[in-house]
Structures are given as C-alpha cells and as structure tokens.
mmCIF file of all heavy atoms in Angstrom:
data_model
loop_
_atom_site.group_PDB
_atom_site.id
_atom_site.type_symbol
_atom_site.label_atom_id
_atom_site.label_comp_id
_atom_site.label_asym_id
_atom_site.label_seq_id
_atom_site.Cartn_x
_atom_site.Cartn_y
_atom_site.Cartn_z
ATOM 1 N N LEU G 1 0.807 -22.752 10.647
ATOM 2 C CA LEU G 1 0.506 -21.476 10.020
ATOM 3 C C LEU G 1 1.684 -20.524 10.165
ATOM 4 O O LEU G 1 2.480 -20.638 11.114
ATOM 5 C CB LEU G 1 -0.750 -20.859 10.635
ATOM 6 C CG LEU G 1 -2.077 -21.612 10.417
ATOM 7 C CD1 LEU G 1 -3.185 -20.973 11.226
ATOM 8 C CD2 LEU G 1 -2.442 -21.666 8.939
ATOM 9 N N TYR G 2 1.757 -19.581 9.238
ATOM 10 C CA TYR G 2 2.841 -18.602 9.211
ATOM 11 C C TYR G 2 2.253 -17.190 9.269
ATOM 12 O O TYR G 2 1.177 -16.931 8.739
ATOM 13 C CB TYR G 2 3.668 -18.747 7.928
ATOM 14 C CG TYR G 2 4.186 -20.144 7.694
ATOM 15 C CD1 TYR G 2 3.399 -21.096 7.041
ATOM 16 C CD2 TYR G 2 5.462 -20.518 8.107
ATOM 17 C CE1 TYR G 2 3.868 -22.388 6.819
ATOM 18 C CE2 TYR G 2 5.934 -21.806 7.891
ATOM 19 C CZ TYR G 2 5.126 -22.733 7.244
ATOM 20 O OH TYR G 2 5.601 -24.002 7.028
ATOM 21 N N GLU G 3 2.998 -16.304 9.905
ATOM 22 C CA GLU G 3 2.550 -14.924 9.923
ATOM 23 C C GLU G 3 2.593 -14.371 8.499
ATOM 24 O O GLU G 3 3.571 -14.561 7.768
ATOM 25 C CB GLU G 3 3.441 -14.101 10.846
ATOM 26 C CG GLU G 3 2.986 -12.653 10.968
ATOM 27 C CD GLU G 3 3.793 -11.859 11.984
ATOM 28 O OE1 GLU G 3 4.506 -12.491 12.807
ATOM 29 O OE2 GLU G 3 3.714 -10.623 11.944
ATOM 30 N N GLY G 4 1.530 -13.671 8.123
ATOM 31 C CA GLY G 4 1.456 -13.121 6.771
ATOM 32 C C GLY G 4 2.302 -11.865 6.631
ATOM 33 O O GLY G 4 1.774 -10.742 6.683
ATOM 34 N N VAL G 5 3.585 -12.066 6.464
ATOM 35 C CA VAL G 5 4.527 -10.944 6.387
ATOM 36 C C VAL G 5 4.643 -10.460 4.944
ATOM 37 O O VAL G 5 4.785 -11.271 4.018
ATOM 38 C CB VAL G 5 5.924 -11.379 6.899
ATOM 39 C CG1 VAL G 5 6.899 -10.214 6.823
ATOM 40 C CG2 VAL G 5 5.823 -11.907 8.328
ATOM 41 N N HIS G 6 4.584 -9.145 4.760
ATOM 42 C CA HIS G 6 4.794 -8.568 3.431
ATOM 43 C C HIS G 6 6.218 -8.017 3.408
ATOM 44 O O HIS G 6 6.473 -6.846 3.682
ATOM 45 C CB HIS G 6 3.790 -7.461 3.149
ATOM 46 C CG HIS G 6 2.371 -7.953 3.129
ATOM 47 N ND1 HIS G 6 1.869 -8.734 2.115
ATOM 48 C CD2 HIS G 6 1.360 -7.813 4.023
ATOM 49 C CE1 HIS G 6 0.597 -9.030 2.357
ATOM 50 N NE2 HIS G 6 0.267 -8.482 3.517
ATOM 51 N N ALA G 7 7.149 -8.906 3.104
ATOM 52 C CA ALA G 7 8.564 -8.539 3.144
ATOM 53 C C ALA G 7 9.047 -8.137 1.754
ATOM 54 O O ALA G 7 8.550 -8.618 0.743
ATOM 55 C CB ALA G 7 9.398 -9.705 3.668
ATOM 56 N N SER G 8 10.033 -7.249 1.754
ATOM 57 C CA SER G 8 10.648 -6.860 0.480
ATOM 58 C C SER G 8 11.799 -7.808 0.192
ATOM 59 O O SER G 8 12.170 -8.646 1.019
ATOM 60 C CB SER G 8 11.161 -5.418 0.577
ATOM 61 O OG SER G 8 12.207 -5.339 1.540
ATOM 62 N N GLY G 9 12.383 -7.675 -0.961
ATOM 63 C CA GLY G 9 13.494 -8.557 -1.327
ATOM 64 C C GLY G 9 14.829 -8.106 -0.796
ATOM 65 O O GLY G 9 15.873 -8.671 -1.148
ATOM 66 N N ASN G 10 14.833 -7.056 0.068
ATOM 67 C CA ASN G 10 16.101 -6.533 0.580
ATOM 68 C C ASN G 10 16.761 -7.474 1.589
ATOM 69 O O ASN G 10 17.963 -7.442 1.788
ATOM 70 C CB ASN G 10 15.872 -5.174 1.246
ATOM 71 C CG ASN G 10 15.381 -4.140 0.233
ATOM 72 O OD1 ASN G 10 15.703 -4.246 -0.955
ATOM 73 N ND2 ASN G 10 14.596 -3.177 0.683
ATOM 74 N N GLY G 11 15.962 -8.302 2.253
ATOM 75 C CA GLY G 11 16.525 -9.225 3.230
ATOM 76 C C GLY G 11 15.473 -10.206 3.684
ATOM 77 O O GLY G 11 14.283 -9.884 3.718
ATOM 78 N N ASN G 12 15.881 -11.406 4.016
ATOM 79 C CA ASN G 12 14.935 -12.423 4.451
ATOM 80 C C ASN G 12 14.514 -12.189 5.907
ATOM 81 O O ASN G 12 15.324 -11.783 6.741
ATOM 82 C CB ASN G 12 15.553 -13.808 4.301
ATOM 83 C CG ASN G 12 15.692 -14.194 2.840
ATOM 84 O OD1 ASN G 12 15.018 -13.641 1.980
ATOM 85 N ND2 ASN G 12 16.582 -15.134 2.552
ATOM 86 N N VAL G 13 13.259 -12.478 6.190
ATOM 87 C CA VAL G 13 12.698 -12.269 7.535
ATOM 88 C C VAL G 13 12.641 -13.594 8.268
ATOM 89 O O VAL G 13 12.033 -14.556 7.757
ATOM 90 C CB VAL G 13 11.287 -11.647 7.447
ATOM 91 C CG1 VAL G 13 10.691 -11.499 8.841
ATOM 92 C CG2 VAL G 13 11.333 -10.320 6.728
ATOM 93 N N PRO G 14 13.240 -13.685 9.466
ATOM 94 C CA PRO G 14 13.160 -14.938 10.218
ATOM 95 C C PRO G 14 11.808 -15.078 10.913
ATOM 96 O O PRO G 14 11.253 -14.110 11.432
ATOM 97 C CB PRO G 14 14.288 -14.784 11.253
ATOM 98 C CG PRO G 14 14.381 -13.312 11.479
ATOM 99 C CD PRO G 14 14.057 -12.670 10.149
ATOM 100 N N LEU G 15 11.276 -16.272 10.915
ATOM 101 C CA LEU G 15 10.025 -16.570 11.616
ATOM 102 C C LEU G 15 10.320 -17.557 12.737
ATOM 103 O O LEU G 15 10.904 -18.622 12.504
ATOM 104 C CB LEU G 15 8.996 -17.159 10.646
ATOM 105 C CG LEU G 15 8.568 -16.259 9.478
ATOM 106 C CD1 LEU G 15 7.564 -16.980 8.588
ATOM 107 C CD2 LEU G 15 7.970 -14.949 9.981
ATOM 108 N N HIS G 16 9.906 -17.182 13.957
ATOM 109 C CA HIS G 16 10.201 -17.996 15.138
ATOM 110 C C HIS G 16 9.089 -19.017 15.376
ATOM 111 O O HIS G 16 7.898 -18.690 15.238
ATOM 112 C CB HIS G 16 10.343 -17.106 16.362
ATOM 113 C CG HIS G 16 11.598 -16.297 16.369
ATOM 114 N ND1 HIS G 16 12.394 -16.169 17.485
ATOM 115 C CD2 HIS G 16 12.226 -15.591 15.382
ATOM 116 C CE1 HIS G 16 13.436 -15.415 17.197
ATOM 117 N NE2 HIS G 16 13.352 -15.035 15.927
ATOM 118 N N PRO G 17 9.443 -20.247 15.766
ATOM 119 C CA PRO G 17 8.427 -21.283 15.998
ATOM 120 C C PRO G 17 7.777 -21.171 17.381
ATOM 121 O O PRO G 17 8.463 -21.066 18.400
ATOM 122 C CB PRO G 17 9.239 -22.577 15.884
ATOM 123 C CG PRO G 17 10.611 -22.194 16.342
ATOM 124 C CD PRO G 17 10.822 -20.769 15.926
ATOM 125 N N TRP G 18 6.457 -21.209 17.385
ATOM 126 C CA TRP G 18 5.677 -21.252 18.617
ATOM 127 C C TRP G 18 4.764 -22.481 18.574
ATOM 128 O O TRP G 18 4.181 -22.782 17.526
ATOM 129 C CB TRP G 18 4.797 -20.013 18.753
ATOM 130 C CG TRP G 18 5.529 -18.758 19.122
ATOM 131 C CD1 TRP G 18 6.225 -17.930 18.280
ATOM 132 C CD2 TRP G 18 5.616 -18.190 20.422
ATOM 133 N NE1 TRP G 18 6.736 -16.873 18.981
ATOM 134 C CE2 TRP G 18 6.386 -16.999 20.302
ATOM 135 C CE3 TRP G 18 5.128 -18.548 21.685
ATOM 136 C CZ2 TRP G 18 6.674 -16.187 21.401
ATOM 137 C CZ3 TRP G 18 5.404 -17.737 22.764
ATOM 138 C CH2 TRP G 18 6.177 -16.575 22.624
ATOM 139 N N LEU G 19 4.644 -23.145 19.686
ATOM 140 C CA LEU G 19 3.664 -24.222 19.833
ATOM 141 C C LEU G 19 2.474 -23.646 20.585
ATOM 142 O O LEU G 19 2.616 -23.174 21.720
ATOM 143 C CB LEU G 19 4.252 -25.396 20.612
ATOM 144 C CG LEU G 19 3.276 -26.533 20.948
ATOM 145 C CD1 LEU G 19 2.771 -27.217 19.679
ATOM 146 C CD2 LEU G 19 3.936 -27.562 21.876
ATOM 147 N N GLY G 20 1.318 -23.640 19.959
ATOM 148 C CA GLY G 20 0.106 -23.148 20.607
ATOM 149 C C GLY G 20 -0.856 -24.294 20.877
ATOM 150 O O GLY G 20 -1.117 -25.108 19.981
ATOM 151 N N VAL G 21 -1.370 -24.373 22.093
ATOM 152 C CA VAL G 21 -2.260 -25.468 22.470
ATOM 153 C C VAL G 21 -3.455 -24.921 23.257
ATOM 154 O O VAL G 21 -3.287 -24.121 24.183
ATOM 155 C CB VAL G 21 -1.525 -26.518 23.337
ATOM 156 C CG1 VAL G 21 -2.475 -27.673 23.696
ATOM 157 C CG2 VAL G 21 -0.295 -27.056 22.615
ATOM 158 N N ASN G 22 -4.647 -25.338 22.871
ATOM 159 C CA ASN G 22 -5.868 -25.033 23.622
ATOM 160 C C ASN G 22 -6.273 -26.281 24.399
ATOM 161 O O ASN G 22 -6.397 -27.365 23.817
ATOM 162 C CB ASN G 22 -6.986 -24.620 22.675
ATOM 163 C CG ASN G 22 -6.668 -23.337 21.934
ATOM 164 O OD1 ASN G 22 -6.108 -22.417 22.510
ATOM 165 N ND2 ASN G 22 -7.006 -23.271 20.663
ATOM 166 N N LEU G 23 -6.451 -26.111 25.695
ATOM 167 C CA LEU G 23 -6.777 -27.243 26.563
ATOM 168 C C LEU G 23 -8.049 -26.971 27.349
ATOM 169 O O LEU G 23 -8.372 -25.813 27.650
ATOM 170 C CB LEU G 23 -5.631 -27.522 27.549
ATOM 171 C CG LEU G 23 -4.225 -27.664 26.987
ATOM 172 C CD1 LEU G 23 -3.453 -26.359 27.152
ATOM 173 C CD2 LEU G 23 -3.456 -28.796 27.662
ATOM 174 N N LYS G 24 -8.740 -28.040 27.685
ATOM 175 C CA LYS G 24 -9.945 -27.945 28.511
ATOM 176 C C LYS G 24 -9.721 -28.750 29.794
ATOM 177 O O LYS G 24 -9.307 -29.902 29.751
ATOM 178 C CB LYS G 24 -11.152 -28.492 27.764
ATOM 179 C CG LYS G 24 -12.454 -28.422 28.583
ATOM 180 C CD LYS G 24 -13.657 -28.814 27.752
ATOM 181 C CE LYS G 24 -13.651 -30.285 27.394
ATOM 182 N NZ LYS G 24 -14.881 -30.719 26.718
ATOM 183 N N VAL G 25 -10.006 -28.107 30.932
ATOM 184 C CA VAL G 25 -9.920 -28.780 32.224
ATOM 185 C C VAL G 25 -11.336 -28.947 32.767
ATOM 186 O O VAL G 25 -12.061 -27.955 32.926
ATOM 187 C CB VAL G 25 -9.056 -27.986 33.221
ATOM 188 C CG1 VAL G 25 -9.023 -28.692 34.573
ATOM 189 C CG2 VAL G 25 -7.635 -27.816 32.679
ATOM 190 N N SER G 26 -11.735 -30.175 32.997
ATOM 191 C CA SER G 26 -13.073 -30.471 33.516
ATOM 192 C C SER G 26 -12.959 -30.895 34.975
ATOM 193 O O SER G 26 -12.227 -31.827 35.306
ATOM 194 C CB SER G 26 -13.736 -31.591 32.716
ATOM 195 O OG SER G 26 -13.862 -31.223 31.354
ATOM 196 N N TYR G 27 -13.690 -30.185 35.831
ATOM 197 C CA TYR G 27 -13.762 -30.522 37.255
ATOM 198 C C TYR G 27 -15.077 -31.277 37.447
ATOM 199 O O TYR G 27 -16.153 -30.695 37.297
ATOM 200 C CB TYR G 27 -13.729 -29.257 38.102
ATOM 201 C CG TYR G 27 -12.481 -28.424 37.892
ATOM 202 C CD1 TYR G 27 -12.402 -27.488 36.863
ATOM 203 C CD2 TYR G 27 -11.378 -28.570 38.723
ATOM 204 C CE1 TYR G 27 -11.263 -26.725 36.664
ATOM 205 C CE2 TYR G 27 -10.222 -27.813 38.539
ATOM 206 C CZ TYR G 27 -10.179 -26.894 37.504
ATOM 207 O OH TYR G 27 -9.038 -26.139 37.310
ATOM 208 N N GLN G 28 -14.981 -32.554 37.770
ATOM 209 C CA GLN G 28 -16.162 -33.405 37.753
ATOM 210 C C GLN G 28 -16.434 -34.017 39.121
ATOM 211 O O GLN G 28 -15.531 -34.534 39.781
ATOM 212 C CB GLN G 28 -15.975 -34.532 36.728
ATOM 213 C CG GLN G 28 -15.720 -34.037 35.310
ATOM 214 C CD GLN G 28 -15.403 -35.155 34.339
ATOM 215 O OE1 GLN G 28 -15.405 -36.320 34.702
ATOM 216 N NE2 GLN G 28 -15.118 -34.808 33.096
ATOM 217 N N CYS G 29 -17.672 -33.929 39.534
ATOM 218 C CA CYS G 29 -18.203 -34.680 40.686
ATOM 219 C C CYS G 29 -19.699 -34.770 40.406
ATOM 220 O O CYS G 29 -20.083 -35.035 39.262
ATOM 221 C CB CYS G 29 -17.861 -34.003 42.018
ATOM 222 S SG CYS G 29 -18.389 -32.282 42.134
ATOM 223 N N ASP G 30 -20.562 -34.546 41.401
ATOM 224 C CA ASP G 30 -21.986 -34.498 41.104
ATOM 225 C C ASP G 30 -22.340 -33.157 40.441
ATOM 226 O O ASP G 30 -23.459 -32.956 39.982
ATOM 227 C CB ASP G 30 -22.818 -34.700 42.366
ATOM 228 C CG ASP G 30 -22.486 -33.705 43.466
ATOM 229 O OD1 ASP G 30 -21.289 -33.389 43.642
ATOM 230 O OD2 ASP G 30 -23.414 -33.229 44.157
ATOM 231 N N ARG G 31 -21.367 -32.269 40.423
ATOM 232 C CA ARG G 31 -21.487 -31.021 39.674
ATOM 233 C C ARG G 31 -20.303 -30.940 38.720
ATOM 234 O O ARG G 31 -19.344 -31.670 38.874
ATOM 235 C CB ARG G 31 -21.497 -29.828 40.647
ATOM 236 C CG ARG G 31 -22.651 -29.887 41.637
ATOM 237 C CD ARG G 31 -22.482 -28.917 42.784
ATOM 238 N NE ARG G 31 -23.524 -29.115 43.797
ATOM 239 C CZ ARG G 31 -23.555 -28.477 44.958
ATOM 240 N NH1 ARG G 31 -22.603 -27.604 45.247
ATOM 241 N NH2 ARG G 31 -24.526 -28.720 45.818
ATOM 242 N N LYS G 32 -20.380 -30.041 37.767
ATOM 243 C CA LYS G 32 -19.330 -30.002 36.758
ATOM 244 C C LYS G 32 -18.979 -28.566 36.396
ATOM 245 O O LYS G 32 -19.865 -27.709 36.297
ATOM 246 C CB LYS G 32 -19.787 -30.760 35.497
ATOM 247 C CG LYS G 32 -18.688 -30.943 34.451
ATOM 248 C CD LYS G 32 -19.176 -31.826 33.303
ATOM 249 C CE LYS G 32 -18.079 -32.057 32.275
ATOM 250 N NZ LYS G 32 -18.520 -32.908 31.158
ATOM 251 N N LYS G 33 -17.693 -28.327 36.224
ATOM 252 C CA LYS G 33 -17.216 -27.016 35.772
ATOM 253 C C LYS G 33 -16.081 -27.238 34.784
ATOM 254 O O LYS G 33 -15.283 -28.166 34.946
ATOM 255 C CB LYS G 33 -16.729 -26.184 36.968
ATOM 256 C CG LYS G 33 -16.315 -24.762 36.573
ATOM 257 C CD LYS G 33 -15.776 -23.994 37.770
ATOM 258 C CE LYS G 33 -14.319 -24.354 38.035
ATOM 259 N NZ LYS G 33 -13.659 -23.433 38.982
ATOM 260 N N GLU G 34 -16.026 -26.393 33.760
ATOM 261 C CA GLU G 34 -14.967 -26.517 32.762
ATOM 262 C C GLU G 34 -14.245 -25.179 32.612
ATOM 263 O O GLU G 34 -14.857 -24.113 32.664
ATOM 264 C CB GLU G 34 -15.554 -26.948 31.410
ATOM 265 C CG GLU G 34 -16.143 -28.346 31.414
ATOM 266 C CD GLU G 34 -16.725 -28.747 30.081
ATOM 267 O OE1 GLU G 34 -17.014 -27.832 29.274
ATOM 268 O OE2 GLU G 34 -16.890 -29.950 29.832
ATOM 269 N N THR G 35 -12.931 -25.264 32.450
ATOM 270 C CA THR G 35 -12.096 -24.084 32.243
ATOM 271 C C THR G 35 -11.212 -24.324 31.026
ATOM 272 O O THR G 35 -10.682 -25.418 30.855
ATOM 273 C CB THR G 35 -11.213 -23.805 33.471
ATOM 274 O OG1 THR G 35 -12.040 -23.648 34.627
ATOM 275 C CG2 THR G 35 -10.388 -22.535 33.271
ATOM 276 N N LEU G 36 -11.090 -23.298 30.194
ATOM 277 C CA LEU G 36 -10.247 -23.393 29.015
ATOM 278 C C LEU G 36 -8.942 -22.635 29.227
ATOM 279 O O LEU G 36 -8.929 -21.561 29.826
ATOM 280 C CB LEU G 36 -10.964 -22.832 27.789
ATOM 281 C CG LEU G 36 -12.169 -23.607 27.276
ATOM 282 C CD1 LEU G 36 -12.733 -22.915 26.053
ATOM 283 C CD2 LEU G 36 -11.790 -25.040 26.930
ATOM 284 N N TYR G 37 -7.865 -23.220 28.737
ATOM 285 C CA TYR G 37 -6.559 -22.567 28.750
ATOM 286 C C TYR G 37 -6.020 -22.545 27.321
ATOM 287 O O TYR G 37 -6.204 -23.495 26.568
ATOM 288 C CB TYR G 37 -5.576 -23.332 29.639
ATOM 289 C CG TYR G 37 -5.906 -23.305 31.113
ATOM 290 C CD1 TYR G 37 -6.640 -24.338 31.698
ATOM 291 C CD2 TYR G 37 -5.487 -22.261 31.926
ATOM 292 C CE1 TYR G 37 -6.952 -24.323 33.054
ATOM 293 C CE2 TYR G 37 -5.789 -22.237 33.278
ATOM 294 C CZ TYR G 37 -6.519 -23.269 33.835
ATOM 295 O OH TYR G 37 -6.830 -23.255 35.176
ATOM 296 N N SER G 38 -5.363 -21.463 26.985
ATOM 297 C CA SER G 38 -4.695 -21.358 25.683
ATOM 298 C C SER G 38 -3.275 -20.876 25.942
ATOM 299 O O SER G 38 -3.061 -19.719 26.318
ATOM 300 C CB SER G 38 -5.437 -20.381 24.767
ATOM 301 O OG SER G 38 -4.801 -20.333 23.504
ATOM 302 N N LEU G 39 -2.322 -21.777 25.759
ATOM 303 C CA LEU G 39 -0.924 -21.464 26.067
ATOM 304 C C LEU G 39 -0.066 -21.525 24.807
ATOM 305 O O LEU G 39 -0.287 -22.365 23.927
ATOM 306 C CB LEU G 39 -0.378 -22.438 27.115
ATOM 307 C CG LEU G 39 -1.073 -22.421 28.479
ATOM 308 C CD1 LEU G 39 -0.442 -23.447 29.414
ATOM 309 C CD2 LEU G 39 -1.014 -21.042 29.111
ATOM 310 N N GLY G 40 0.899 -20.637 24.758
ATOM 311 C CA GLY G 40 1.856 -20.634 23.658
ATOM 312 C C GLY G 40 3.258 -20.793 24.200
ATOM 313 O O GLY G 40 3.628 -20.162 25.196
ATOM 314 N N LEU G 41 4.049 -21.654 23.573
ATOM 315 C CA LEU G 41 5.424 -21.916 24.009
ATOM 316 C C LEU G 41 6.379 -21.583 22.865
ATOM 317 O O LEU G 41 6.272 -22.126 21.771
ATOM 318 C CB LEU G 41 5.582 -23.384 24.415
ATOM 319 C CG LEU G 41 6.992 -23.836 24.799
ATOM 320 C CD1 LEU G 41 7.422 -23.203 26.119
ATOM 321 C CD2 LEU G 41 7.073 -25.356 24.900
ATOM 322 N N HIS G 42 7.318 -20.681 23.147
ATOM 323 C CA HIS G 42 8.358 -20.342 22.172
ATOM 324 C C HIS G 42 9.345 -21.504 22.136
ATOM 325 O O HIS G 42 9.971 -21.833 23.141
ATOM 326 C CB HIS G 42 9.061 -19.044 22.578
ATOM 327 C CG HIS G 42 9.933 -18.467 21.517
ATOM 328 N ND1 HIS G 42 11.184 -18.961 21.235
ATOM 329 C CD2 HIS G 42 9.730 -17.439 20.663
ATOM 330 C CE1 HIS G 42 11.725 -18.246 20.259
ATOM 331 N NE2 HIS G 42 10.854 -17.314 19.887
ATOM 332 N N LEU G 43 9.465 -22.139 20.975
ATOM 333 C CA LEU G 43 10.234 -23.381 20.882
ATOM 334 C C LEU G 43 11.739 -23.169 20.755
ATOM 335 O O LEU G 43 12.479 -24.136 20.532
ATOM 336 C CB LEU G 43 9.730 -24.225 19.706
ATOM 337 C CG LEU G 43 8.306 -24.758 19.851
ATOM 338 C CD1 LEU G 43 7.887 -25.545 18.621
ATOM 339 C CD2 LEU G 43 8.181 -25.639 21.102
ATOM 340 N N ILE G 44 12.176 -21.934 20.951
ATOM 341 C CA ILE G 44 13.622 -21.666 20.997
ATOM 342 C C ILE G 44 14.046 -21.263 22.411
ATOM 343 O O ILE G 44 14.990 -21.827 22.964
ATOM 344 C CB ILE G 44 14.012 -20.579 19.980
ATOM 345 C CG1 ILE G 44 13.777 -21.090 18.554
ATOM 346 C CG2 ILE G 44 15.484 -20.172 20.152
ATOM 347 C CD1 ILE G 44 14.065 -20.076 17.473
ATOM 348 N N THR G 45 13.304 -20.334 23.002
ATOM 349 C CA THR G 45 13.676 -19.848 24.346
ATOM 350 C C THR G 45 12.979 -20.596 25.483
ATOM 351 O O THR G 45 13.426 -20.543 26.619
ATOM 352 C CB THR G 45 13.340 -18.354 24.479
ATOM 353 O OG1 THR G 45 11.904 -18.188 24.398
ATOM 354 C CG2 THR G 45 14.001 -17.545 23.375
ATOM 355 N N GLY G 46 11.866 -21.272 25.171
ATOM 356 C CA GLY G 46 11.106 -21.955 26.228
ATOM 357 C C GLY G 46 10.153 -21.021 26.958
ATOM 358 O O GLY G 46 9.505 -21.423 27.932
ATOM 359 N N MET G 47 10.040 -19.771 26.489
ATOM 360 C CA MET G 47 9.130 -18.815 27.112
ATOM 361 C C MET G 47 7.694 -19.228 26.848
ATOM 362 O O MET G 47 7.345 -19.667 25.756
ATOM 363 C CB MET G 47 9.407 -17.435 26.544
ATOM 364 C CG MET G 47 8.785 -16.292 27.321
ATOM 365 S SD MET G 47 9.374 -14.708 26.686
ATOM 366 C CE MET G 47 11.127 -14.827 27.077
ATOM 367 N N MET G 48 6.829 -19.081 27.867
ATOM 368 C CA MET G 48 5.436 -19.505 27.753
ATOM 369 C C MET G 48 4.518 -18.326 28.049
ATOM 370 O O MET G 48 4.771 -17.535 28.949
ATOM 371 C CB MET G 48 5.142 -20.653 28.721
ATOM 372 C CG MET G 48 3.847 -21.399 28.454
ATOM 373 S SD MET G 48 3.616 -22.822 29.560
ATOM 374 C CE MET G 48 5.041 -23.833 29.150
#
C-alpha cells in the first residue's frame, strides 16, 4: 500500500519503504495467554 498523497506537479514526492508485520505470541501450558505485536521496520535506515 502507498500513502494517499495529494501532490502537485511541481515536484515528485519520495515514498519510503516500511515493512509492517503483525505477530501473535502464544504462551502455552495447561493455561494459555496470547500477546499481539505490531512492528514496523524502515527498510532504508533499519529503524523499528
């Protein structure tokens, strides 16, 4: 997906790539708990 930018024709707008991932962590024994994580990684700088 791309950010819905309303740019004019005066200059092109750069769009930076991000990898977004939703993960589920399940803690399992005779009881169970689940935690969700949503992380984004900038694919140029490595910032998370």
Side-chain angles (χ1 to χ4, degrees):
L1 294 173
Y2 306 86
E3 183 175 344
V5 180
H6 297 289
S8 65
N10 297 331
N12 290 339
V13 177
L15 299 179
H16 288 225
W18 286 81
L19 174 65
V21 181
N22 296 321
L23 309 99
K24 180 173 69 174
V25 178
S26 300
Y27 301 86
Q28 301 174 2
C29 55
D30 56 320
R31 300 166 187 175
K32 188 174 182 180
K33 185 183 81 167
E34 294 180 340
T35 303
L36 292 181
Y37 293 95
S38 182
L39 298 179
L41 176 69
H42 192 282
L43 294 178
I44 294 177
T45 65
M47 194 172 296
M48 195 176 299

